[in-house]
Amino acid sequence: MSESVLAGLRVVETAGPSGELAGRFLADLGATVWEIEPPDGSPTRRYPPFSSRVSRESLFFAFYNAGK
C-alpha cells in the first residue's frame, strides 16, 4: 500500500468560502486538515442547495469540507 503524498502534514484552515476547496484538495492528498470556524459557523453552512434530510445540511459545505 502506497503512502499518501501529504501524509503526516497537518493543516489548520482559517480560510473563508474561497479557500475551503484548497483545504479539501489537501485532505484528498492525505493531509490532516482542521477547519476553524467562527462562533456562528462557516458561512458556507448556509449556502444552498440543502439536503432533503431533517438536518438540511448544505451540500455546498459538505462537498467543500469533505475529509476535514
Side-chain angles (χ1 to χ4, degrees), residues 3-44:
E3 193 171 311
S4 297
V5 176
L6 299 179
L9 181 69
R10 294 181 181 169
V11 178
V12 176
E13 178 192 310
T14 59
S18 61
E20 287 182 347
L21 187 58
R24 161 78 190 256
F25 289 152
L26 293 171
D28 287 347
L29 291 171
T32 301
V33 181
W34 291 288
E35 179 179 13
I36 307 300
E37 297 184 42
D40 59 341
S42 173
T44 57

Side-chain angles (χ1 to χ4, degrees), residues 26-63:
L26 293 171
D28 287 347
L29 291 171
T32 301
V33 181
W34 291 288
E35 179 179 13
I36 307 300
E37 297 184 42
D40 59 341
S42 173
T44 57
R45 289 185 180 275
R46 296 177 285 282
Y47 286 11
F50 297 101
S51 68
S52 60
R53 296 182 298 184
V54 176
S55 66
R56 293 193 33 90
E57 178 182 35
S58 167
L59 298 177
F60 182 95
F61 180 82
F63 177 79

